[in-house]
Amino acid sequence: MKFRKVSALLLAGAMCAATVVGCGKTSSSSGAGSNDATKAAEDEEITATITVWSPAEDQSVDNGEWLQKMCEKFNDEHPKWNLTFKYGTCSEGDAGKTVSADPSASADVYMYANDQTQTLIDAGAIAKLGGSALETVKKNNSEAMLKTVSIGDDVYGVPFTGNTWFLFYNKDIFTEDDVKNLDTMLAKGKVAFQLTNSWYIGGFYFGNGCSAFGADGTDESAGIDLTGDKATEVTKYLVDLAANPNFVNDADSSGITGFNDGTVGAFFSGSWDMSNIKIDKSKVGVVAAPTYTLNGEEKQIKAFAGSKAIGVNPNCKYPQVAVALALYLGSDDAQISHYESRGIIPCNIGAAANEKVASDEMANAQNDTMNNKSVMQPTFKGMSNWWTPAENMGKSIVAGETTKDNAADKTAEFNEGANNGVVK
Amino acid sequence: MKKISTGAKIGKKTTNVFVHILLAVLAFIWVLPILFIIMVSFKSDQGLQIRTLLPDAWLQSAKAAHPDMFANVTRGFIPTLDNYKKLFTDTTNVFNFPQMFVNTLIISIFSCIISAFFVLSVSYVMSRMRFKMRKPFMNVALILGMFPGFMSMIAVYYILKSIGLTEGAMIRVALIMVYSGGSGLGFYIAKGFFDTIPKSIDEAAYIDGATRWQVFTKVTIPLSKPIIVYTVLQSFMAPWLDFIFAKVICRANKEYYTVSVGLWNMLEKEYIYSWFNCFAAGAVVISIPIIILFMVMQKFYREGVSGAVKG
């Protein structure tokens, strides 16, 4: 039995050694948190390697190597800084997990989806913006957009595009007037909606006065409000909707597939699906989600609005360079160039006003949704309880388990689950 | 007993019929996912909506023969090789599959050689030599083997990071180390096989002046072809198919992705519509090296210890 003791000691020793070495690296480079990109810093001679993570498309040759070009330009614009860039691949949706797993060995500047803000903060993987950087972000963005990258009064990222969903429709089937109301559309042609996807189904509830964390999504103590008649009425509407022969539940991308082969006249999705549309683009209309008629009243479907933003790692060696680079990648020029190379819709007020962007139907639909027809997707921890109950609600409506008779009970169950994480 | 009664014959036949039907159903269920992925890899329509797995020509002829069948399916898919073409030629955009393939091949071949050697050596030692730690070691190995490997993945990551193996080209070395390092613990099956080789053969070799190493390489190894084939296949397939460690260690370093990480990425929201067919094609392609390896090695399965000891 001696052996076991010895081996246990050895193993423990090895682990400790690894931890100590690991920690040494972390502590030496952290603590630079919210330094500003001040003018003074810019005069300093700096030679550094900056690691940047972005989705693969931003770096691909086919899309004109947007990221590489921007970084080189950034280097040229700062003659005192001699920067070498190292690129990594990490999609915005993965950044929360990948960066948080080991912030000290992650990129200095990375792109993330705003729903991961809290995760990144908890891991000490994202720096608060301050000083002139904060001013620039505040100046460039609409109130709604700014809120998506803030927790309380603190701003954490430089937003570069909105992240929401809206309506794609076939102009041969629906007119511009039709797409203002979902029920008018359903009377004329087939409409696909992702009722079993929790990112989408909430749109109906939020349209009728239900809310997640207060009216503007910033009041953590308010919780998710799906109580009373206002929610039950929506459930009843959705039961009718699911039974409508012209309604198609969009699961496993049946919406886009049907849209391409003509069996579906309209579907709800985001900007990423534009390139997947194979029918003649002149026939494709894009607008913000329509209203729906609930007991004779028109209610606006309100999509979750999030954003994709550029974050700065507080563990980086040269925070002034990293912050300046993040601002540069989120600047008007960079956003327009991003739009031209990949169709990423700019969100800066200045960039959105650019004539090319302003004449783009999808850009307008997205920005209209973001600014007027959406609720901010909350970034609180409690939000994690939303997804499974919401999905189950959609599934039970589509499966016919939820009927008009038990709508009140099922909605109460949904409310309970979304607030307390009880999944039945 | 010359005649079997007809009753027993019928009874036997009905049992056989039932057994065969059951086996056919089970075989169908078992093969279906494989068939599914192969069909998808030849699919021409993009997206993961699958209306039918039948090529159009087959479907049309089936419909001509039985008009009632497939009433709600108007057309099958037009078989195409484009997915495979895209997989291997569309390398400058999002996924560089050939590079992932080469990465995985390098890692697997090295891991395979190293870990097969480890496993066989440890097995030989455990089977032939007697020393004080032998029993305790076998017990520890048995207990350690019960824990899943990924339990230690974060610890492994930090240890590798602290010695600088998680950056750049060292990632490949790190992965080879991860896959081959602990493989010696999986000695039980090979040891069991070595135990069946009579010790008298070894002793004969010792009398002729052979060293332990010579006995191992010249006597034991040639007599253990089936178990070597098994060990080599296992040690090749483990790194070839592993996902968790590759994902943890590669992180954002796209140029060192292995096929499993790459294939997993193809199923992300942004890519799934245009890459789903290629994912299926990739899944078919990665099975090819395993098949080749198996076909090369399977002839050794037949040769065993038969006739080694006479009398």
Side-chain angles (χ1 to χ4, degrees):
Chain A
M1 291 305 100
K2 237 185 202 168
F3 172 77
R4 276 191 202 176
K5 274 184 196 161
V6 174
S7 68
L9 266 177
L10 275 177
L11 278 175
M15 294 261 279
C16 285
T19 333
V20 169
V21 179
C23 281
K25 269 187 192 161
T26 321
S27 53
S28 68
S29 55
S30 69
S34 49
N35 276 21
D36 310 339
T38 52
K39 282 277 172 239
E42 211 160 305
D43 295 332
E44 201 184 323
E45 294 262 0
I46 293 176
T47 304
T49 303
I50 303 288
T51 316
V52 189
W53 284 2
S54 80
E57 298 96 313
D58 280 341
Q59 301 164 32
S60 79
V61 181
D62 293 10
N63 290 328
E65 302 186 311
W66 174 80
L67 185 68
Q68 288 92 323
K69 273 187 193 158
M70 285 299 129
C71 288
E72 288 314 318
K73 244 177 148 181
F74 173 77
N75 197 12
D76 293 344
E77 286 184 16
H78 297 85
K80 294 251 172 178
W81 293 347
N82 179 19
L83 306 173
T84 325
F85 294 99
K86 233 174 97 186
Y87 305 104
T89 319
C90 179
S91 71
E92 294 100 345
D94 262 358
K97 267 183 252 153
T98 315
V99 178
S100 304
D102 186 6
S104 64
S106 290
D108 302 321
V109 175
Y110 57 86
M111 298 179 182
Y112 70 98
N114 80 313
D115 58 304
Q116 297 152 31
T117 314
Q118 193 62 51
T119 317
L120 288 164
I121 292 173
D122 291 346
I126 191 162
K128 216 189 289 177
L129 298 179
S132 60
L134 181 62
E135 292 309 312
T136 316
V137 173
K138 276 187 172 165
K139 192 183 78 201
N140 279 341
N141 289 286
S142 70
E143 192 68 21
M145 186 53 83
L146 194 64
K147 243 189 275 164
T148 62
V149 290
S150 315
I151 299 274
D153 291 332
D154 301 329
V155 177
Y156 285 91
V158 184
F160 65 92
T161 188
N163 190 15
T164 187
W165 50 267
F166 30 83
L167 177 74
F168 292 84
Y169 67 98
N170 187 328
K171 286 181 179 171
D172 285 352
I173 300 175
F174 301 108
T175 65
E176 262 176 55
D177 282 333
D178 295 335
V179 296
K180 286 179 182 154
N181 185 291
L182 181 61
D183 298 279
T184 323
M185 290 175 75
L186 285 166
K188 271 185 96 171
K190 293 229 177 207
V191 180
F193 186 87
Q194 302 190 33
L195 207 54
T196 47
N197 184 330
S198 32
W199 202 45
Y200 291 79
I201 188 174
F204 286 95
Y205 289 93
F206 300 128
N208 195 35
C210 298
S211 62
F213 303 100
D216 59 356
T218 55
D219 180 6
E220 188 164 10
S221 61
I224 293 167
D225 177 18
L226 293 164
T227 53
D229 283 346
K230 63 180 187 295
T232 309
E233 289 303 316
V234 177
T235 307
K236 284 181 183 166
Y237 175 85
L238 293 178
V239 170
D240 278 343
L241 178 70
N244 192 316
N246 267 347
F247 170 81
V248 177
N249 182 42
D250 183 355
D252 302 330
S253 76
S254 58
I256 171 91
T257 313
F259 194 73
N260 282 338
D261 65 22
T263 54
V264 166
F267 72 106
F268 294 81
S269 189
S271 51
W272 57 90
D273 257 349
M274 190 52 147
S275 57
N276 295 332
I277 292 178
K278 300 288 179 249
I279 63 172
D280 187 0
K281 289 276 158 71
S282 65
K283 285 185 189 169
V284 181
V286 192
V287 287
T291 58
Y292 65 103
T293 313
L294 185 65
N295 302 331
E297 273 179 71
E298 296 233 328
K299 304 283 183 187
Q300 174 63 45
I301 297 175
K302 287 185 175 168
F304 268 137
S307 63
K308 289 177 182 173
I310 303 151
V312 173
N313 191 332
N315 298 304
C316 65
K317 265 199 183 134
Y318 299 99
Q320 68 274 40
V321 180
V323 170
L325 179 63
L327 285 176
Y328 187 82
L329 292 176
S331 68
D332 286 2
D333 289 346
Q335 287 193 3
I336 290 169
S337 155
H338 213 176
Y339 173 73
E340 282 165 353
S341 61
R342 272 191 63 204
I344 302 291
I345 298 167
C347 67
N348 278 5
I349 299 168
N354 176 288
E355 54 186 283
K356 267 187 226 151
V357 183
S359 60
D360 181 333
E361 230 179 328
M362 185 167 73
N364 286 330
Q366 171 154 325
N367 286 329
D368 183 27
T369 308
M370 289 296 300
N371 297 331
N372 309 314
K373 292 166 181 169
S374 60
V375 290
M376 209 269 278
Q377 182 177 332
T379 46
F380 299 117
K381 274 266 159 82
M383 194 58 199
S384 61
N385 288 336
W386 163 267
W387 308 107
T388 311
E391 189 185 329
N392 288 346
M393 187 75 208
K395 279 183 181 161
S396 88
I397 291 172
V398 171
E401 287 161 21
T402 300
T403 60
K404 284 188 164 181
D405 297 330
N406 65 12
D409 290 344
K410 290 277 181 185
T411 313
E413 222 173 80
F414 176 23
N415 183 46
E416 173 73 15
N419 279 297
N420 302 326
V422 184
V423 181
K424 277 180 192 164
Chain B
M1 279 283 284
K2 271 185 183 170
K3 258 180 146 188
I4 303 165
S5 71
T6 43
K9 241 183 190 171
I10 291 168
K12 207 176 174 190
K13 258 198 178 153
T14 41
T15 326
N16 270 345
V17 166
F18 275 116
V19 167
H20 277 91
I21 288 173
L22 184 71
L23 287 178
V25 169
L26 288 179
F28 179 73
I29 294 171
W30 185 75
V31 172
L32 192 62
I34 299 168
L35 211 64
F36 183 95
I37 220 74
I38 292 176
M39 286 311 211
V40 168
S41 76
F42 291 111
K43 189 163 73 87
S44 47
D45 306 322
Q46 288 197 316
L48 67 166
Q49 259 273 305
I50 295 144
R51 294 219 172 81
T52 167
L53 284 176
L54 295 175
D56 199 42
W58 299 3
L59 186 78
Q60 296 309 340
S61 59
K63 280 182 98 158
H66 307 278
D68 317 339
M69 275 171 79
F70 309 110
N72 48 3
V73 191
T74 48
R75 62 180 183 88
F77 67 90
I78 316 290
T80 171
L81 283 173
D82 287 354
N83 301 322
Y84 290 90
K85 224 189 268 170
K86 182 177 173 189
L87 194 67
F88 283 100
T89 53
D90 189 0
T91 54
T92 50
N93 196 1
V94 188
F95 299 106
N96 189 345
F97 188 79
Q99 192 182 34
M100 296 172 196
F101 198 85
V102 171
N103 285 342
T104 320
L105 203 61
I106 293 171
I107 292 168
S108 300
I109 288 172
F110 278 98
S111 310
C112 174
I113 294 169
I114 298 173
S115 55
F117 175 70
F118 278 2
V119 171
L120 294 175
S121 304
V122 175
S123 312
Y124 179 74
V125 168
M126 289 298 154
S127 163
R128 285 298 188 263
M129 296 178 197
R130 292 293 176 270
F131 47 96
K132 217 174 158 191
M133 282 299 294
R134 186 171 169 272
K135 268 272 150 64
F137 178 79
M138 279 167 63
N139 288 337
V140 170
L142 194 66
I143 292 164
L144 283 181
M146 283 171 185
F147 293 105
F150 56 78
M151 205 178 75
S152 60
M153 66 181 175
I154 298 298
V156 167
Y157 168 76
Y158 277 103
I159 292 169
L160 288 170
K161 187 186 153 199
S162 66
I163 48 176
L165 287 180
T166 54
E167 293 287 327
M170 296 310 276
I171 288 176
R172 290 202 191 110
V173 179
L175 282 173
I176 292 171
M177 281 171 67
V178 167
Y179 294 136
S180 48
S183 60
L185 276 186
F187 61 82
Y188 266 90
I189 294 173
K191 178 197 166 278
F193 188 90
F194 288 158
D195 286 346
T196 65
I197 300 173
K199 269 197 162 174
S200 50
I201 302 179
D202 289 25
E203 281 155 9
Y206 288 132
I207 289 167
D208 288 345
T211 60
R212 277 201 197 282
W213 175 251
Q214 280 170 328
V215 171
F216 177 54
T217 52
K218 301 235 161 86
V219 178
T220 314
I221 296 262
L223 287 176
S224 326
K225 276 174 188 156
I227 203 67
I228 291 169
V229 172
Y230 169 81
T231 312
V232 168
L233 276 177
Q234 286 293 312
S235 3
F236 183 82
M237 272 168 73
W240 184 255
L241 302 174
D242 177 74
F243 170 73
I244 292 179
F245 279 101
K247 176 87 181 144
V248 166
I249 290 168
C250 288
R251 304 189 75 217
N253 299 286
K254 191 181 153 206
E255 57 270 43
Y256 300 106
Y257 276 0
T258 62
V259 280
S260 53
V261 179
L263 288 179
W264 185 78
N265 279 346
M266 284 180 196
L267 299 182
E268 278 191 56
K269 180 180 83 173
E270 292 92 343
Y271 313 123
I272 189 161
Y273 186 80
S274 46
W275 281 90
F276 180 64
N277 295 343
C278 293
F279 164 81
V284 173
V285 167
I286 59 165
S287 62
I288 290 172
I290 301 173
I291 293 171
I292 292 174
L293 190 66
F294 187 78
M295 292 211 295
V296 171
M297 305 212 86
Q298 76 164 351
K299 65 168 188 243
F300 297 113
Y301 261 136
R302 274 173 275 130
E303 303 169 20
V305 280
S306 54
V309 188
K310 294 216 169 78

